Amino acid sequence: MLRLWGLGGVGEIGGNKLLLEGGDSGVFLDFGVSMSVKRRFFSLHLRPRTPTYLSLYLMTGVIPRLGGIYREDLLRIDSPASSILDKAPKPRVDACIVSHAHIDHYGHVSLLSPNIPIYMGSTTHLLIKHRQETSSQRELEGQVLHYRDVEDNVEEERRVATFRTGDKIRLGGFTIRPIHVDHSIPASYGFVIEWGGQTIAYTGDFRMHGPKSELTWDFVEEARGVDALLVEGTRIGEVERVEERDVERDLDKWVKSHEGKLVSIMVSEMDFDRLQTVIRVAEENGRSLILPVKVMKMLESLKTAQGIKVPSLGDNVSVLLDRRGSGRYDIERDYRGWMRKTLQQLHDKGVELISGPRISKNQSKYILVLSRPESITELAWIKPEPGSPLILSTSEPHNEEQEIEREKLMNWAALLGLKVLKCHASGHAEQGSILRLISEIGAKTIIPIHTEDEELFSKLVSTHMPGSRMMRIGGTQPIITLG
Ligand SMILES: [Zn+2]
């Protein structure tokens, strides 16, 4: 009997934690952070301390109540967590498979027992490593590839195996085949899983309008005719389809119409496709690109990834020096840790490092990429000419916290006299593409995940795919039997 446990990412966007159980084998499909639940109880200033992480997260439902899956060192110092889990089910878990390097899909691997091996794409490994190396906080929840035992304070490596499209992973009675899909981060995967003659496909996060949409079509081919399909429906309620080339057209138009002014663009750090678009637009318009050091470091590490082509940046790129420490932009004195090391390496390679005052003198020459909201304060030093564009090329805020963050950004833009423009192509498929994927795969059973609108999903599937059965998971029915 094949059973699916919906422990996260059901009835919510992100936080995917699905347990597929066949006979005495079990595999987690993702173990992400349930942002929607976490946000209800915790914030930057209201969060658990090391000995209370598990108990507070279990109490509030941020992580599922399952025995035998969490870090033993944390359980030993958190007795309330152990008592909560005493009576909890203890399924066998052979491994956790990570679909891609977004926190809502892999973040809470940090709390899993190191006895559970983790599987991820080789470039996903590289991206998570990059994030771990460049994050300033050494928090428990960042400890994915390594973890520090809280009792003996020794850093240990997790058991991580990497895969590529076309590999066959055998775990217990399962055979799992990862197949790439197009999403807003490189190395995103869907999976076709076989157990006891039954097949199930899991899309991970996907889109069909991105520059690499053929990857999603490869997944569709491999998944065709599976018994059950676990499909993400983030944008099931949206019909608008903006493609990357639409973003490129807008960016190009705006750079051209703001001759003589500094162009600043806000881009998500790991949105590699968007970075490529910005690089092309800069080149076509004869502007030099200024990147945040973190983004430059990521591009440098992606150069070592198989199957990913990082555009050559040549002399056309420089790296922004944030104003820190003494305020004199002295690499040795003002920057620390990975940042100092990276800046030094880039400097040795001949990459230009550029400070705000220097950008200020030559505004029309540059496109400045910003990847974090707080980077807007750098513009206070650069002093862009009034009416200079600030292009927001990230997803729209979709929760209260992000709304507040956006409001602050808009206040800064107003204070600095910037003109705010927006263009973005989503990492997720819109309604038409989701339905197309479902009908092409033609599974007998369809299970929606990663969506807040299962009602609409149900309605659309029953109208467009009358031959398929829709199964919902979560709420009062957290475990369903397949086949
Ligand atoms: Zn994602």
Side-chain angles (χ1 to χ4, degrees):
M1 198 169 59
L2 192 57
R3 296 203 304 169
L4 179 72
W5 302 48
L7 303 161
V10 287
E12 63 176 328
I13 291 173
N16 287 24
K17 289 182 278 300
L18 302 153
L19 176 64
L20 198 55
E21 211 187 17
D24 59 358
S25 311
V27 173
F28 273 124
L29 304 174
D30 286 328
F31 206 81
V33 179
S34 281
M35 292 304 204
S36 60
V37 186
K38 192 176 163 186
R39 210 176 292 118
R40 284 174 58 207
F41 296 97
F42 302 98
S43 68
L44 192 61
H45 304 292
L46 200 174
R47 51 184 173 174
R49 298 202 176 93
T50 305
T52 61
Y53 256 102
L54 290 182
S55 49
L56 295 185
Y57 277 3
L58 287 164
M59 268 173 68
T60 51
V62 174
I63 54 174
R65 296 183 178 212
L66 289 187
I69 66 163
Y70 294 111
R71 278 175 59 169
E72 292 77 9
D73 60 329
L74 293 181
L75 284 168
R76 276 194 292 272
I77 58 164
D78 187 349
S79 52
S82 303
S83 7
I84 291 173
L85 293 176
D86 261 355
K87 293 177 210 72
K90 292 186 179 55
R92 169 160 167 178
V93 179
D94 294 277
C96 173
I97 313 275
V98 170
S99 64
H100 62 283
H102 278 152
I103 302 274
D104 62 332
H105 288 255
Y106 80 87
H108 274 159
V109 164
S110 53
L111 301 178
L112 286 180
S113 160
N115 295 325
I116 299 176
I118 315 297
Y119 287 74
M120 57 178 72
S122 41
T123 301
T124 299
H125 184 270
L126 203 135
L127 291 170
I128 294 177
K129 186 163 170 264
H130 163 79
R131 193 174 276 142
Q132 211 162 294
E133 281 171 0
T134 56
S135 97
S136 52
Q137 47 177 350
R138 296 260 171 269
E139 290 290 329
L140 261 179
E141 285 174 281
Q143 298 179 359
V144 174
L145 302 177
H146 304 88
Y147 66 98
R148 189 170 286 281
D149 189 292
V150 292
E151 290 169 308
D152 58 20
N153 206 26
V154 172
E155 190 165 83
E156 309 268 2
E157 254 183 65
R158 234 174 240 287
R159 289 159 63 193
V160 178
T162 59
F163 57 69
R164 297 182 57 77
T165 289
D167 286 354
K168 267 189 187 165
I169 306 162
R170 291 202 167 81
L171 287 167
F174 290 102
T175 304
I176 300 170
R177 283 187 297 136
I179 301 122
H180 48 216
V181 290
D182 188 26
H183 184 39
S184 50
I185 188 164
S188 296
Y189 289 87
F191 302 92
V192 176
I193 303 160
E194 192 270 334
W195 181 87
Q198 277 175 274
T199 47
I200 178 163
Y202 168 49
T203 61
D205 285 353
F206 75 97
R207 63 180 170 190
M208 299 181 99
H209 57 266
K212 291 259 183 299
S213 56
E214 72 276 8
L215 303 185
T216 307
W217 282 107
D218 288 345
F219 171 77
V220 169
E221 283 311 318
E222 293 294 326
R224 219 177 271 286
V226 288
D227 298 315
L229 172 67
L230 281 158
V231 54
E232 75 113 328
T234 314
R235 294 180 64 226
I236 191 70
E238 291 174 46
V239 290
E240 197 192 14
R241 181 180 165 118
V242 178
E243 300 188 13
E244 196 59 34
R245 57 174 167 248
D246 301 321
V247 173
E248 185 160 347
R249 195 195 48 228
D250 282 351
L251 288 182
D252 185 66
K253 183 178 74 192
W254 293 334
V255 172
K256 286 191 167 62
S257 61
H258 290 90
E259 220 177 296
K261 291 195 162 50
L262 175 71
V263 176
S264 307
I265 306 182
M266 190 72 80
V267 176
S268 296
E269 208 166 277
M270 289 194 174
D271 191 341
F272 182 59
D273 293 327
R274 186 62 37 79
L275 287 168
Q276 282 182 295
T277 300
V278 176
I279 291 168
R280 270 197 305 276
V281 170
E283 228 168 56
E284 277 156 23
N285 287 280
R287 291 220 184 199
S288 287
L289 197 64
I290 304 171
L291 295 177
V293 57
K294 214 174 192 177
V295 171
M296 189 66 175
K297 182 171 160 58
M298 184 193 70
L299 292 177
E300 289 289 318
S301 43
L302 277 179
K303 281 184 186 165
T304 64
Q306 254 185 356
I308 292 196
K309 209 172 166 300
V310 178
S312 118
L313 296 163
D315 296 337
N316 211 26
V317 69
S318 41
V319 166
L320 180 69
L321 281 175
D322 289 341
R323 196 176 162 92
R324 283 168 193 256
S326 71
R328 294 196 191 109
Y329 307 101
D330 181 333
I331 299 178
E332 277 305 309
R333 213 170 121 177
D334 298 331
Y335 304 89
R336 300 195 192 290
W338 69 269
M339 199 180 271
R340 180 198 288 165
K341 204 170 139 200
T342 310
L343 287 171
Q344 198 64 61
Q345 283 167 349
L346 291 168
H347 176 76
D348 293 347
K349 273 183 165 175
V351 175
E352 189 189 9
L353 309 176
I354 190 163
S355 62
R358 278 188 47 217
I359 301 169
S360 189
K361 288 191 196 114
N362 234 329
Q363 300 195 12
S364 60
K365 203 182 145 195
Y366 299 111
I367 291 183
L368 172 64
V369 174
L370 305 172
S371 63
R372 308 187 72 83
E374 68 258 31
S375 314
I376 187 105
T377 57
E378 286 302 315
L379 289 174
W381 298 105
I382 296 169
K383 298 192 182 72
E385 297 285 333
S388 295
L390 171 66
I391 304 171
L392 305 182
S393 198
T394 55
S395 55
E396 282 295 298
H398 46 260
N399 60 56
E400 210 182 334
E401 263 169 43
Q402 290 173 358
E403 298 272 1
I404 295 169
E405 200 69 28
R406 176 59 66 91
E407 200 187 319
K408 294 186 207 302
L409 198 70
M410 299 303 275
N411 290 342
W412 274 104
L415 184 71
L416 298 170
L418 304 173
K419 190 203 294 177
V420 176
L421 299 162
K422 292 180 197 172
C423 62
H424 181 59
S426 172
H428 298 276
E430 85 298 345
Q431 188 183 94
S433 295
I434 297 172
L435 294 175
R436 174 113 195 259
L437 175 130
I438 295 174
S439 84
E440 289 282 342
I441 291 179
K444 291 190 274 295
T445 303
I446 291 150
I447 305 152
I449 46 160
H450 208 284
T451 177
E452 284 171 349
D453 205 344
E454 288 182 5
E455 280 306 318
L456 176 66
F457 212 121
S458 270
K459 223 184 278 168
L460 290 167
V461 168
S462 56
T463 316
H464 294 269
M465 267 83 51
S468 296
R469 173 174 65 139
M470 175 92 179
M471 270 181 107
R472 284 161 73 170
I473 186 169
T476 53
Q477 202 176 11
I479 307 172
I480 54 174
T481 304
L482 299 165

